[in-house]
């Protein structure tokens, strides 16, 4: 504006009116984002005039799970609303009944919404995590055929044992010989990646054999981080472009996607060649390559790419993280470790370790091992925060009025640490809480313990993950004694799942 314009009475008038208007708006929207409606009957999280919770969201972006946990710590309210400039209206709940209602009771009303889809689309496409309705259903049905008892007993257990034997030799025995510390978290990611790529797609990736991250895994991790940022940063399109301009040499989302797409394409092409040679497989990949999509058509390469990548995140990250947090907690709670080792020694002999069907059966009876795993996932759920979108108005069990178009956030992480849900010991690692008075294992309702989700979209790999984790825990604890390297800050990286930010360095000895 020039001086002449500014002194013009019309402009002065407009300027004054604008300032007065903003003041009025700020007074009216004093606790929430401008133009967000006040929501009667729902506690509103702290907000500033016109921008609402945006400053708090920015300030807490690296410890978002603690933020949400603390939000419900001091009050008896388990549901709150968040109004953030640039984001649609969110209702956040850690109330088990509400969670069960959204995921199960009124399943049809809550879908993965447009915000979810926009943020996730580039990486996940129309894969099972990112789709609704018919598109979701055919994938769920096709994949579910793979998860049958026979496969578990005869094939999956074998793959896990085979990979653990390789890991023992390659990583742990070598570390003992050389007396070198190892990043446990990194090794677990390699273990679950190798195992899942082998059992799902028939490819021997051998990440455990390479010192560095395999390029596919590195690109995949970066793409996931960016994807999560898109959820919490309303201005991601601009931010990402600016980053690219400021640091053009740094690989961005497109470069990472290129790497992961290439991987998925190579896996599928290899299988097509095998099928052309008449080799028959019945794994996840073959099931999908022989399946029909929601329109009754064979799947094209884009659809297969989406399926491969969705299953990799499902099968790799979650279980690797659960294993890492298990050992983190065990190493900090020697009493629990000792009790678990005792159960292992009572059930597992060297013979059983190499007879997969027998191993599979014995593991089912190891109650304390199961309790440990459930307890880890209560405190460190691999999917710590999740979102859905309301198609229609609804009323929740706690009386909260949901409106069409609201986004629902629920936080298994904060839910597990809430004393109203789990009593005064909510923050303690106590596998004993999973036993009834007469020593039976207790399974909580899906709403109370949503680590594996709930209702029709409950985790399809729940039994697979539990088996994989328990096989690994058993073999590792039976053979080795780990210790944390002192002076590390072990904490989570805010992402779609719950990785450790800087890994977890351990030293290892043979267990006598
Ligand atoms: C400790 C390990 C695991 C945990 C904590 C876990 C947890 C979850 C959660 C919370 C969801 C819901 C995600 C959402 O829809 O937003 C989910 C879905 C899913 N999980 Fe797992 N998961 C684990 C391991 C696995 C494994 C090993 C597989 C192997 C195939 C797997 C396959 C799936 C699939 C296919 C879905 C999508 C289900 C659907 O939408 O119908 N998961 N899992
Ligand atoms: C693959 O199929 C999907 C769904 O039917 C369709 O949207 C997409 O355009 C197809 N892609 C290619 C490359 O043919
Ligand atoms: C761990 O975190 C604390 C506090 O944030 C910091 O003072 C310390 O230097 C960190 N230690 C390491 C090994 O990074």
């Amino acid at each position: 504006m020039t001086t002449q314009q500014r002194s013009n009475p019309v402009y002065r008038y407009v300027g004054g009116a604008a300032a007065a208007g903003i003041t009025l708006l700020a007074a009216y929207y004093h606790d929430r984002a401008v133009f967000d409606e006040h929501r009667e009957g729902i506690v509103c999280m702290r907000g500033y005039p016109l921008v609402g919770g945006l400053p708090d969201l920015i300030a807490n972006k690296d410890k978002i799970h603690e933020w949400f946990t603390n939000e419900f710590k001091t009050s008896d309210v388990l549901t709150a609303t968040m109004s953030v400039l640039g984001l649609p209206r969110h209702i956040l709940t850690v109330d088990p009944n509400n969670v069960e209602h959204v995921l199960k009771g009124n399943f049809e009303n809550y879908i993965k919404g447009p915000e979810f889809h926009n943020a996730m689309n580039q990486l996940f496409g129309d894969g099972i995590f990112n789709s609704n309705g018919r598109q979701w259903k055919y994938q769920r049905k096709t994949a579910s055929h793979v998860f049958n008892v026979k496969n578990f007993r005869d094939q999956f257990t074998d793959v896990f044992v085979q990979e653990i034997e390789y890991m023992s030799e390659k990583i742990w025995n070598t570390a003992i010989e050389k007396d070198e510390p190892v990043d446990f978290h990194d090794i677990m990611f390699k273990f679950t990646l190798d195992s899942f790529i082998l059992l799902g797609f028939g490819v021997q990736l051998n990440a455990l054999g390479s010192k560095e991250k395999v390029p596919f895994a590195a690109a995949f991790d970066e793409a996931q981080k960016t994807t999560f940022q898109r959820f919490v940063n309303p201005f991601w399109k601009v931010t990402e472009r600016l980053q690219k301009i400021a640091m053009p040499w740094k690989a961005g989302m497109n470069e990472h996607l290129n790497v992961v797409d290439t991987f998925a394409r190579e896996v599928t092409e290899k299988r097509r060649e095998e099928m052309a040679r008449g080799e028959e497989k019945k794994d996840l990949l073959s099931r999908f390559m022989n399946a029909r999509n929601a329109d009754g058509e064979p799947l094209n390469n884009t659809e297969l790419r989406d399926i491969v990548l969705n299953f990799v995140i499902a099968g790799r990250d979650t279980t690797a993280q659960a294993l890492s947090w298990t050992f983190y907690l065990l190493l900090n709670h020697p009493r629990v470790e000792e009790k678990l080792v005792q159960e292992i020694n009572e059930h597992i002999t060297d013979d059983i370790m190499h007879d997969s069907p027998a191993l599979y059966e014995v593991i089912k009876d190891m109650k304390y091992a199961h309790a440990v795993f459930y307890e880890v996932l209560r405190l460190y759920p691999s999917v710590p925060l999740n979102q859905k979108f309301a198609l229609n108005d609804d009323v929740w069990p706690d009386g909260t009025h949901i409106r069409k178009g609201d986004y629902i956030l629920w936080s298994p992480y904060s839910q597990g640490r809430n004393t109203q849900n789990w009593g005064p010991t909510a923050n303690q690692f106590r596998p004993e809480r999973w036993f009834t008075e007469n020593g039976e294992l207790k399974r909580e309702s899906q709403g109370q313990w949503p680590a594996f989700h709930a209702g029709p979209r409950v985790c399809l790999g729940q039994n697979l993950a539990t088996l994989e984790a328990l096989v690994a825990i058993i073999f590792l604890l039976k053979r080795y004694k780990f210790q944390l390297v002192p002076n590390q800050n072990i904490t989570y990286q805010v992402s779609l799942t719950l990785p450790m930010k800087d890994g977890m360095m351990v030293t290892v000895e043979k267990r006598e």
Side-chain angles (χ1 to χ4, degrees):
M1 223 182 264
T2 65
T3 330
Q4 203 183 4
Q5 277 172 336
R6 219 178 291 134
S7 57
N8 180 322
V10 175
Y11 283 99
R12 273 220 311 266
Y13 174 77
V14 170
I22 289 173
T23 312
L24 274 176
L25 282 173
Y28 188 72
Y29 297 100
H30 63 96
D31 61 348
R32 58 188 190 273
V34 61
F35 306 133
D36 263 8
E37 273 178 67
H38 173 68
R39 294 294 290 265
E40 201 56 53
I42 316 182
V43 172
C44 188
M45 287 168 70
R46 182 168 74 174
Y48 298 86
L50 307 180
V51 293
L54 188 60
D56 281 348
L57 179 64
I58 293 169
N60 286 292
K61 72 177 176 31
D62 294 327
K63 45 178 186 207
I64 200 160
H65 309 307
E66 253 52 51
W67 179 36
F68 288 163
T69 305
N70 291 334
E71 199 61 34
F72 296 107
K73 206 176 207 162
T74 48
S75 72
D76 54 4
V77 178
L78 295 178
T79 300
T81 175
M82 206 171 32
S83 162
V84 173
L85 182 68
L87 290 182
R89 167 71 68 174
H90 280 80
I91 316 278
L92 169 63
T93 189
V94 294
D95 182 329
N97 295 324
N98 290 345
V99 172
E100 188 140 338
H101 176 83
V102 168
L103 302 185
K104 199 171 176 179
N106 198 3
F107 172 73
E108 298 294 334
N109 192 44
Y110 298 95
I111 62 165
K112 311 230 173 182
E115 193 195 33
F116 193 92
H117 200 271
N118 286 344
M120 302 270 283
N121 190 34
Q122 265 199 308
L123 183 57
F124 292 93
D126 293 318
I128 190 164
F129 279 118
N130 207 22
S131 52
N132 293 303
R134 296 181 330 136
Q135 190 121 47
W136 159 71
K137 213 165 216 160
Y138 94 84
Q139 295 184 52
R140 174 115 192 157
K141 199 160 162 230
T142 307
S144 66
H145 295 302
V146 177
F147 300 93
N148 60 56
V149 173
K150 192 175 165 342
N151 277 351
F152 273 92
R153 206 186 43 215
D154 302 342
Q155 193 203 332
F156 299 161
T157 315
D158 255 356
V159 168
F160 299 142
V161 170
Q162 180 189 324
E163 292 297 333
I164 290 170
E165 290 298 359
Y166 183 67
M167 166 169 63
S168 291
E169 256 326 291
K170 189 86 196 166
I171 310 291
W172 305 118
N173 293 350
T174 310
I176 292 172
E177 234 166 71
K178 294 194 179 156
D179 198 16
E180 274 176 359
V182 175
D183 183 353
F184 191 91
H185 184 250
D186 178 50
I187 300 304
M188 289 306 109
F189 267 70
K190 290 175 169 168
F191 162 64
T192 55
L193 181 64
D194 282 352
S195 303
F196 194 74
I197 300 276
L198 183 57
L199 77 80
F201 314 122
V203 172
Q204 189 87 59
L205 195 63
N206 201 8
L208 277 168
S210 72
K211 262 236 154 343
E212 303 302 316
K213 268 192 189 178
V214 290
F216 163 70
F220 198 57
D221 290 345
E222 288 305 314
Q224 269 186 65
K225 254 190 246 169
T226 306
T227 301
F228 185 82
Q229 287 308 320
R230 290 177 175 185
F231 262 104
V232 290
N233 177 0
F235 313 108
W236 61 267
K237 286 197 174 130
V238 180
T239 329
E240 283 180 25
R241 196 157 304 155
L242 288 177
Q243 266 165 4
K244 198 72 210 170
I245 293 169
M247 293 183 286
W249 60 89
K250 204 166 166 248
M253 190 62 162
N254 289 337
E255 287 79 14
H256 300 316
L257 286 172
N258 256 335
V259 177
V260 297
D261 287 1
T262 305
F263 173 81
R265 200 178 51 242
E266 285 172 359
V267 167
T268 340
E269 273 166 11
K270 178 164 171 284
R271 180 58 55 88
R272 276 200 216 288
E273 286 162 18
E274 288 166 3
M275 285 161 76
R277 286 200 300 269
E279 292 172 33
E280 211 198 315
K281 289 216 169 89
K282 282 201 158 166
D283 61 8
L284 203 59
L285 185 58
S286 282
R287 297 263 178 195
F288 276 101
M289 290 179 78
N290 291 317
R292 305 258 155 181
N293 68 15
D295 298 324
E297 308 277 338
L299 312 202
N300 64 31
N301 281 346
T302 312
E303 288 167 305
L304 286 170
R305 172 259 181 218
D306 293 349
I307 283 160
V308 167
L309 294 184
N310 277 257
F311 272 92
V312 172
I313 189 180
R316 176 191 75 146
D317 302 52
T318 48
T319 315
Q321 292 157 13
L323 275 167
S324 302
W325 293 113
T326 300
F327 277 80
Y328 169 73
L329 286 168
L330 289 177
L331 299 185
N332 281 301
H333 297 80
R335 177 193 70 83
V336 178
E337 182 183 351
E338 213 167 281
K339 204 163 156 184
L340 181 54
V341 169
Q342 197 181 333
E343 187 185 58
I344 292 170
N345 287 336
E346 280 163 13
H347 285 79
I348 307 287
T349 60
D350 282 345
D351 288 346
I352 287 176
M353 286 165 93
H354 296 104
D355 176 353
S356 292
L359 180 61
Y360 172 77
E361 295 299 332
V362 169
I363 287 178
K364 282 203 290 194
D365 288 336
M366 295 179 63
K367 290 183 197 157
Y368 197 69
H370 281 87
V372 167
F373 191 57
Y374 301 154
E375 180 69 350
V376 170
L377 288 174
R378 186 181 69 83
L379 289 169
Y380 293 96
S382 311
V383 183
L385 182 66
N386 211 329
Q387 187 201 55
K388 288 232 168 162
F389 175 75
L391 288 175
N392 286 298
D393 292 2
D394 191 17
V395 181
W396 279 356
D398 72 350
T400 303
H401 282 257
I402 298 301
R403 290 190 197 161
K404 174 181 175 158
D406 282 346
Y407 280 86
I408 314 307
L409 279 179
W410 75 101
S411 165
Y413 184 96
S414 303
Q415 216 182 306
R417 288 158 192 258
N418 188 284
T419 51
Q420 281 190 80
N421 293 331
W422 291 96
T425 61
N427 279 303
Q428 294 168 20
F429 178 57
R430 269 197 347 118
E432 285 71 20
R433 78 176 81 239
W434 289 89
F435 288 92
T436 62
E437 273 174 13
N438 34 15
E440 288 308 309
L441 251 188
K442 169 160 76 179
R443 281 308 288 270
E444 297 288 352
S445 70
Q446 291 181 339
Q448 170 78 0
W449 185 73
F452 283 111
H453 211 78
R457 294 191 81 153
V458 70
C459 174
L460 203 47
Q462 175 166 356
N463 294 331
L464 184 74
T466 308
L467 177 69
E468 179 171 14
L470 293 192
V471 173
I473 292 168
I474 288 168
F475 274 61
L476 290 177
L477 282 183
K478 195 160 172 73
R479 290 179 176 163
Y480 305 109
K481 174 117 190 71
F482 298 95
Q483 263 177 322
L484 288 173
V485 170
N487 300 322
Q488 307 181 65
N489 288 333
I490 297 173
T491 177
Y492 56 75
Q493 162 80 49
V494 171
S495 186
L496 297 169
T497 52
L498 199 65
M500 289 176 168
K501 197 173 194 168
D502 304 305
M504 180 172 83
M505 295 304 290
V506 298
T507 53
V508 56
E509 303 163 67
K510 284 231 148 60
R511 191 184 287 275
E512 295 311 330

